[in-house]
Every structure is written in structure tokens, then in C-alpha cells.
Amino acid sequence: MRLDPGGAGPSAPLRRSRYWSTITKLRARCPDPADRDAELGLLQEFATSGTPYLWLVGEPWASKTTLAAAFAGDPAPDVVTVAFFVSRSAGSRLADYRAALADQLAPLVGETPTPGVVPTAFDLDDLWQRAVERVTADGRHLMLIVDGLDEDDHLRHRESSVAAQLPEYVPPGSHVLVTSRHFPEVPADVPDGHPLRGCERRTLAANEASRASRNAAERDLQQHLSDRTSREVLGLLAASGGGLADEDIARLTGLDLYDVRELVEQTIARLVERREDDGRGRYSFAHDLIRETTTERLGAEAMAGFWGRLLDWAETYRTGGWPADTPCTCWTGSRRRWPTTGTWTACCGSTSPTGGAACWSGPARWS
């Protein structure tokens, strides 16, 4: 959300959304788009047009996230933006989308969301509608940006898709921009007649700058996979799906915590990033393509070994009754990533005695 010291329309000055820190971090990681003036101009034109939906599609590293973060963080003065960045590596879920949007929309209508409370679908629809009415009454446009629609792993989690939650109410002055890889099908749970189903799709072609970024990341990955310690940590991160804290990596590898922090903050820092999860930092891949490439290069046998180590590690917490320090890590392995003869299912949804979630999704081992 772009902050205006004068407030959002007729209401009092805006409280800064907590999700703003995520947008700021993404903008820092994705510098100003190089040679993308035409595309930024397109987004500006769309944001002040009468068109409700626009879908940008492109190959990995085509600068989709870079463009989305740049526009979300610095739109035109007459445009208010709210945004969500879907990331399979970070374990993004529908609840994260709802919470992030509520946190950004509530200040626009003079409300403060309750921390830790995830709004229902109809609560979010109502909040969006009221925010649209408030912003457009002030002569401005409200634009929702959802980046990485293809990274929504909703089928794996047996939940509704983020796409199905996108607004159907898009009156003049409101707009929705979504981005994804080349994604031929709208998710099946998106209702017939939803504006996403008939919206225009624009292809974002890779340019010299985006290709250079991809090549640099692939060179870095190849270099670090040749080092045994880095390879082990990268393999565990790839297997975890949702990321691991530095303490988790230390326990899994036997490395000193100091050495782990040096590794993730210095050695492989360009490949991973730290995300806050309920006040506890987790490291995951900076781009989902890096995770995919890591998985591919390490091979099925090695990845099965990393998956097994994570399950053995989780078993120690389960047999201990899910103690209070159980890592809240959601493992999002899928059939195409992990070779196994077991049955793939969401095998456990327990909570610790203190109420902390212990969320594990993988091969069924526990009954």
C-alpha cells in the first residue's frame, strides 16, 4: 500500500500495514526494473483505466515479481495499491492471502484488524467493497496486485485457491492485476462468470537484464552445490518446502549455529532469504526456480534422503508430544518432487499443548 501522509480519503491518516515490510523487502531484492519503462507505463495506464482485470504471464525470471513489487511500492499519486506475493518456497497459503489483504485494506476504511485473526471469505469481500467505495469516493483508484498465481499449491493442501478468492466486485475505479508463469487453465474452483476467466492476458517477455539475473543465479547455485556443506543445506531447504530456521538447520546438520548463520547470511545469501513467521525467522529460496533447479540437480535419490531426514526429525517432536518449541514448519513436498512408495496425504494436523501448530504435509508415516 502506498502511504499518503494526508490519509486515505475522508478517513484519518493510514496505519502502515505490517505486510508493507514484505513489499519493501521484495523491492530491495528486486531492484528497479531495467528497460521496463513500457511495461510500467502499461501498468499505470491499466491502474487508471476502466478495465477491471489484467493478467501478466511470462517465463521464470521474466521480471514479473520485480514489476509487481515496483508498482506496488511506488504507484502514481492517484492510485492506492494493496498486494500479495504468492510463494511456494515460503509456503504461502490462502489464509496468508486473506490476512495480508485484511491488514492492508482495513486502514483504508479506518479499521484495525485483530492480529492473528484470519478473516473469512465474506469478511474479506466486504472489506474490499468498502475500501473500493472509500478510495474511489476520494477520486482515486484502488488496485489489488497478486503475484505468482501459479505458485498457489492449493490442491496439495486441499483448500480453495487464491484465484477463487479474487474479487468479483470490481466497479469503476478498482482493478486487479495478477501475474503467473504461462498458466493455461484458471483453477477449477473459480466460479463461472468470474472476471478472471475472461480477462486479457499480456505476455511479459524476458529481456537482457532478466536473463542476466537468471544466469547469475544459476552460476551461484552450481558453485554452491559443488560444496558439500552448502549442498546439504540447500537440499534440506528444498525438501522442507516452507523453509527452515537457522536453529533447525543446525540440529539437522550438526553444524554450529554460528557456522549456519555465516552460511545462510553470507555464503549462499543470494540464493535464499529470511522470512519472519510468528516472530521466528525462516530461510527459504529467494525464487521458486532455484528450488526447482536444486531438486533437479541433486536427483531423486538424494532428495528422498533429505526428505527422510526431515521426517525423522519431525518424529522426535511427535513422540515428545509436540512440545512448545516445535518448529512451525509446513512441508510442502509433492509427488513430482519426492519419490516414495508411501501414500501421499496430509498426515498430521496436531497442535502442541500450548496451542502452537505443528503442520506437516508429506508421506503418511503417523496414524
Side-chain angles (χ1 to χ4, degrees):
M1 172 172 25
R2 186 178 189 275
L3 299 179
D4 183 346
S11 64
L14 286 175
R15 173 189 63 83
R16 193 179 80 166
S17 164
R18 291 177 300 162
Y19 195 71
W20 183 257
S21 61
T22 297
I23 297 173
T24 301
K25 183 167 61 176
L26 282 167
R27 291 193 68 199
R29 195 185 79 204
C30 305
D32 290 338
D35 301 323
R36 291 295 191 185
D37 291 345
E39 288 81 359
L40 287 170
L42 168 68
L43 295 186
Q44 178 57 48
E45 180 182 349
F46 165 68
T48 54
S49 70
T51 304
Y53 265 75
L54 178 64
W55 193 336
L56 286 183
V57 297
E59 64 187 55
W61 293 95
S63 302
K64 301 183 297 295
T65 300
T66 299
L67 277 172
F71 198 83
D74 190 22
D78 56 347
V79 177
V80 176
T81 55
V82 293
F84 184 71
F85 294 81
V86 186
S87 171
R88 188 178 292 114
S89 293
S92 297
R93 302 285 293 274
L94 178 62
D96 301 316
Y97 167 80
R98 289 177 177 170
L101 255 63
D103 190 61
Q104 296 170 79
L105 291 171
L108 298 177
V109 296
E111 298 178 3
T112 301
T114 304
V117 176
V118 178
T120 64
F122 61 81
D123 284 335
L124 190 60
D125 288 341
D126 175 67
L127 194 55
W128 165 260
Q129 181 170 339
R130 289 187 290 126
V132 169
E133 292 169 352
R134 179 65 65 89
V135 171
T136 56
D138 194 40
R140 294 190 286 177
H141 295 256
L142 179 60
M143 181 169 172
L144 167 61
I145 300 171
V146 178
D147 175 70
L149 208 58
D150 57 298
E151 294 195 30
D152 178 19
D153 210 8
H154 67 285
L155 293 177
R156 177 75 182 87
H157 298 296
R158 300 180 182 180
E159 63 185 18
S160 298
S161 67
V162 169
Q165 179 71 80
L166 294 173
E168 295 184 67
Y169 175 77
V170 276
S174 61
H175 315 272
V176 179
L177 170 72
V178 298
T179 77
S180 73
R181 301 185 192 185
H182 292 285
F183 194 63
E185 298 294 335
V186 174
D189 63 342
V190 175
D192 292 339
H194 191 288
L196 182 67
R197 288 194 172 276
C199 75
E200 178 186 7
R201 298 190 189 189
R202 290 283 191 97
T203 298
L204 183 65
N207 63 9
E208 184 176 348
S210 62
R211 284 190 290 268
S213 295
R214 175 172 182 161
N215 292 339
E218 290 181 343
R219 286 194 299 270
D220 279 353
L221 180 60
Q222 184 61 40
Q223 173 187 345
H224 295 309
L225 286 177
S226 66
D227 175 78
R228 182 173 181 177
T229 301
S230 297
R231 182 169 64 249
E232 181 181 20
V233 172
L234 291 168
L236 288 167
L237 288 175
S240 72
L244 295 167
D246 47 15
E247 297 95 335
D248 302 334
I249 297 172
R251 293 190 187 102
L252 284 159
T253 61
L255 295 170
D256 291 337
L257 186 58
Y258 176 87
D259 292 332
V260 170
R261 288 174 175 167
E262 280 288 301
L263 183 71
V264 295
E265 295 172 7
Q266 301 294 330
T267 307
I268 61 173
R270 288 174 44 161
L271 301 176
V272 303
E273 65 179 5
R274 178 185 170 94
R275 295 182 171 95
E276 292 298 322
D277 181 15
D278 294 329
R280 189 167 186 255
R282 289 187 295 138
Y283 291 91
S284 56
F285 288 103
H287 196 290
D288 202 51
L289 184 63
I290 301 175
R291 178 196 55 76
E292 293 175 0
T293 306
T294 298
T295 300
E296 178 184 348
R297 292 187 178 176
L298 290 178
E301 184 176 352
M303 291 309 303
F306 288 123
W307 178 253
R309 286 169 62 179
L310 288 169
L311 285 177
D312 289 341
W313 175 59
E315 175 75 357
T316 65
Y317 288 98
R318 188 192 71 86
T319 56
W322 302 119
D325 64 345
T326 299
C328 184
T329 300
C330 187
W331 294 340
T332 54
S334 64
R335 284 185 179 89
R336 76 174 189 274
R337 264 188 260 164
W338 312 120
T340 180
T341 56
T343 300
W344 288 83
T345 183
C347 59
C348 181
S350 305
T351 56
S352 72
T354 60
C359 181
W360 319 108
S361 300
R365 174 177 292 191
W366 308 310
S367 57

